[in-house]
Short mmCIF file of all heavy atoms in Angstrom, two decimals:
data_model
loop_
_atom_site.label_atom_id
_atom_site.label_comp_id
_atom_site.label_asym_id
_atom_site.label_seq_id
_atom_site.Cartn_x
_atom_site.Cartn_y
_atom_site.Cartn_z
N ILE A 16 95.38 42.55 44.28
CA ILE A 16 95.72 43.84 44.83
C ILE A 16 94.67 44.31 45.81
O ILE A 16 94.95 44.81 46.88
CB ILE A 16 95.98 44.85 43.69
CG1 ILE A 16 97.27 44.47 42.96
CG2 ILE A 16 96.09 46.26 44.27
CD1 ILE A 16 97.55 45.27 41.71
N PHE A 17 93.38 44.05 45.44
CA PHE A 17 92.26 44.40 46.39
C PHE A 17 92.41 43.59 47.68
O PHE A 17 92.22 44.10 48.77
CB PHE A 17 90.93 44.11 45.73
CG PHE A 17 90.43 45.20 44.90
CD1 PHE A 17 90.05 44.92 43.59
CD2 PHE A 17 90.27 46.48 45.35
CE1 PHE A 17 89.54 45.89 42.76
CE2 PHE A 17 89.77 47.49 44.56
CZ PHE A 17 89.43 47.22 43.24
N GLY A 18 92.88 42.35 47.55
CA GLY A 18 93.06 41.51 48.75
C GLY A 18 94.20 42.00 49.63
O GLY A 18 94.13 41.98 50.84
N LEU A 19 95.23 42.49 48.97
CA LEU A 19 96.36 43.09 49.75
C LEU A 19 95.93 44.29 50.59
O LEU A 19 96.43 44.54 51.65
CB LEU A 19 97.53 43.44 48.80
CG LEU A 19 98.26 42.28 48.22
CD1 LEU A 19 99.35 42.79 47.29
CD2 LEU A 19 98.87 41.44 49.26
N PHE A 20 94.96 45.04 50.03
CA PHE A 20 94.47 46.21 50.75
C PHE A 20 93.24 45.88 51.61
O PHE A 20 92.64 46.82 52.22
CB PHE A 20 94.08 47.33 49.80
CG PHE A 20 95.27 47.95 49.16
CD1 PHE A 20 95.51 47.82 47.74
CD2 PHE A 20 96.23 48.63 49.88
CE1 PHE A 20 96.63 48.41 47.18
CE2 PHE A 20 97.31 49.23 49.28
CZ PHE A 20 97.50 49.10 47.95
N GLY A 21 92.86 44.62 51.74
CA GLY A 21 91.78 44.17 52.62
C GLY A 21 90.41 44.43 52.10
O GLY A 21 89.43 44.58 52.88
N LYS A 22 90.25 44.51 50.80
CA LYS A 22 88.95 44.78 50.15
C LYS A 22 88.37 43.59 49.41
O LYS A 22 87.53 43.74 48.59
CB LYS A 22 89.04 45.95 49.20
CG LYS A 22 89.61 47.19 49.83
CD LYS A 22 88.68 47.76 50.84
CE LYS A 22 89.31 49.07 51.41
NZ LYS A 22 88.68 49.50 52.64
N MET A 23 88.81 42.41 49.80
CA MET A 23 88.37 41.21 49.07
C MET A 23 87.07 40.68 49.63
O MET A 23 86.79 40.85 50.78
CB MET A 23 89.50 40.12 49.26
CG MET A 23 89.26 38.91 48.44
SD MET A 23 90.65 37.72 48.67
CE MET A 23 91.72 38.33 47.41
N ASN A 24 86.29 40.09 48.81
CA ASN A 24 85.01 39.47 49.17
C ASN A 24 85.32 38.08 49.72
O ASN A 24 85.78 37.24 48.95
CB ASN A 24 84.05 39.43 48.01
CG ASN A 24 82.67 38.99 48.39
OD1 ASN A 24 82.34 38.95 49.56
ND2 ASN A 24 81.91 38.55 47.43
N ILE A 25 85.05 37.85 51.01
CA ILE A 25 85.35 36.55 51.62
C ILE A 25 84.07 36.02 52.26
O ILE A 25 83.08 36.77 52.45
CB ILE A 25 86.46 36.69 52.73
CG1 ILE A 25 86.05 37.69 53.78
CG2 ILE A 25 87.78 37.12 52.07
CD1 ILE A 25 87.04 37.72 54.93
N PRO A 26 84.07 34.70 52.55
CA PRO A 26 82.81 34.14 53.20
C PRO A 26 82.59 34.77 54.55
O PRO A 26 83.48 35.19 55.26
CB PRO A 26 83.23 32.66 53.34
CG PRO A 26 84.22 32.39 52.34
CD PRO A 26 85.01 33.69 52.22
N GLU A 27 81.37 34.80 54.94
CA GLU A 27 80.92 35.47 56.20
C GLU A 27 81.63 34.78 57.44
O GLU A 27 81.86 35.49 58.44
CB GLU A 27 79.41 35.38 56.40
CG GLU A 27 78.60 36.24 55.49
CD GLU A 27 78.87 37.71 55.84
OE1 GLU A 27 78.98 38.06 57.04
OE2 GLU A 27 78.89 38.52 54.89
N LYS A 28 81.93 33.54 57.36
CA LYS A 28 82.47 32.90 58.52
C LYS A 28 83.89 33.37 58.87
O LYS A 28 84.32 33.25 59.99
CB LYS A 28 82.46 31.36 58.36
CG LYS A 28 83.35 30.84 57.30
CD LYS A 28 83.27 29.32 57.16
CE LYS A 28 84.20 28.80 56.10
NZ LYS A 28 84.13 27.29 56.04
N PHE A 29 84.55 33.98 57.89
CA PHE A 29 85.95 34.47 58.13
C PHE A 29 85.96 35.97 58.49
O PHE A 29 86.96 36.52 58.74
CB PHE A 29 86.79 34.23 56.85
CG PHE A 29 87.02 32.77 56.57
CD1 PHE A 29 86.58 32.19 55.43
CD2 PHE A 29 87.73 32.04 57.51
CE1 PHE A 29 86.80 30.91 55.14
CE2 PHE A 29 88.01 30.68 57.24
CZ PHE A 29 87.52 30.09 56.03
N LYS A 30 84.78 36.63 58.44
CA LYS A 30 84.73 38.08 58.71
C LYS A 30 84.66 38.29 60.21
O LYS A 30 84.09 37.51 60.97
CB LYS A 30 83.55 38.70 58.00
CG LYS A 30 83.63 38.73 56.51
CD LYS A 30 82.42 39.38 55.86
CE LYS A 30 82.60 39.32 54.36
NZ LYS A 30 81.49 39.89 53.65
N GLY A 31 85.21 39.43 60.64
CA GLY A 31 85.05 39.91 61.99
C GLY A 31 86.06 39.34 63.01
O GLY A 31 85.87 39.48 64.21
N HIS A 32 87.08 38.66 62.53
CA HIS A 32 88.08 38.12 63.45
C HIS A 32 89.32 39.00 63.37
O HIS A 32 89.52 39.80 62.45
CB HIS A 32 88.42 36.68 62.99
CG HIS A 32 87.28 35.73 63.04
ND1 HIS A 32 86.80 35.14 64.22
CD2 HIS A 32 86.49 35.24 62.04
CE1 HIS A 32 85.80 34.40 63.92
NE2 HIS A 32 85.54 34.42 62.66
N GLU A 33 90.20 38.78 64.38
CA GLU A 33 91.41 39.61 64.39
C GLU A 33 92.41 39.26 63.28
O GLU A 33 93.29 40.03 62.90
CB GLU A 33 92.12 39.44 65.75
CG GLU A 33 92.49 38.02 66.04
CD GLU A 33 92.70 37.81 67.54
OE1 GLU A 33 92.06 38.40 68.38
OE2 GLU A 33 93.56 36.98 67.83
N TRP A 34 92.24 38.07 62.68
CA TRP A 34 93.16 37.58 61.61
C TRP A 34 92.51 37.75 60.23
O TRP A 34 93.11 37.28 59.29
CB TRP A 34 93.51 36.09 61.85
CG TRP A 34 92.42 35.24 62.34
CD1 TRP A 34 92.15 34.85 63.60
CD2 TRP A 34 91.40 34.64 61.53
NE1 TRP A 34 91.07 34.04 63.61
CE2 TRP A 34 90.58 33.87 62.31
CE3 TRP A 34 91.11 34.66 60.12
CZ2 TRP A 34 89.48 33.16 61.88
CZ3 TRP A 34 90.06 33.94 59.70
CH2 TRP A 34 89.23 33.17 60.60
N THR A 35 91.38 38.39 60.15
CA THR A 35 90.70 38.53 58.84
C THR A 35 91.52 39.29 57.84
O THR A 35 91.58 38.86 56.68
CB THR A 35 89.33 39.21 59.04
OG1 THR A 35 88.53 38.44 59.93
CG2 THR A 35 88.59 39.36 57.72
N LYS A 36 92.18 40.34 58.25
CA LYS A 36 93.04 41.08 57.30
C LYS A 36 94.18 40.23 56.76
O LYS A 36 94.50 40.28 55.61
CB LYS A 36 93.60 42.34 57.99
CG LYS A 36 92.60 43.41 58.26
CD LYS A 36 92.40 44.26 57.06
CE LYS A 36 91.52 45.45 57.46
NZ LYS A 36 91.14 46.23 56.33
N ASN A 37 94.79 39.45 57.64
CA ASN A 37 95.88 38.57 57.21
C ASN A 37 95.33 37.50 56.23
O ASN A 37 96.02 37.15 55.23
CB ASN A 37 96.55 37.87 58.41
CG ASN A 37 97.38 38.82 59.17
OD1 ASN A 37 97.86 39.82 58.64
ND2 ASN A 37 97.57 38.57 60.43
N TYR A 38 94.18 37.04 56.44
CA TYR A 38 93.52 36.00 55.58
C TYR A 38 93.34 36.62 54.19
O TYR A 38 93.71 36.01 53.15
CB TYR A 38 92.18 35.61 56.19
CG TYR A 38 91.36 34.68 55.30
CD1 TYR A 38 91.77 33.35 55.11
CD2 TYR A 38 90.22 35.13 54.69
CE1 TYR A 38 91.00 32.54 54.34
CE2 TYR A 38 89.44 34.30 53.89
CZ TYR A 38 89.85 33.03 53.71
OH TYR A 38 89.11 32.14 52.91
N MET A 39 92.85 37.86 54.11
CA MET A 39 92.65 38.51 52.85
C MET A 39 93.95 38.80 52.12
O MET A 39 94.07 38.67 50.92
CB MET A 39 91.82 39.77 52.99
CG MET A 39 90.38 39.51 53.25
SD MET A 39 89.37 41.03 53.17
CE MET A 39 89.62 41.62 54.78
#
Side-chain angles (χ1 to χ4, degrees):
I16 292 170
F17 278 124
L19 290 177
F20 290 114
K22 305 294 183 196
M23 185 178 274
N24 187 16
I25 59 172
E27 287 293 325
K28 66 181 182 178
F29 294 116
K30 292 181 180 177
H32 299 281
E33 58 199 36
W34 42 260
T35 300
K36 290 275 188 187
N37 289 334
Y38 175 72
M39 285 190 276

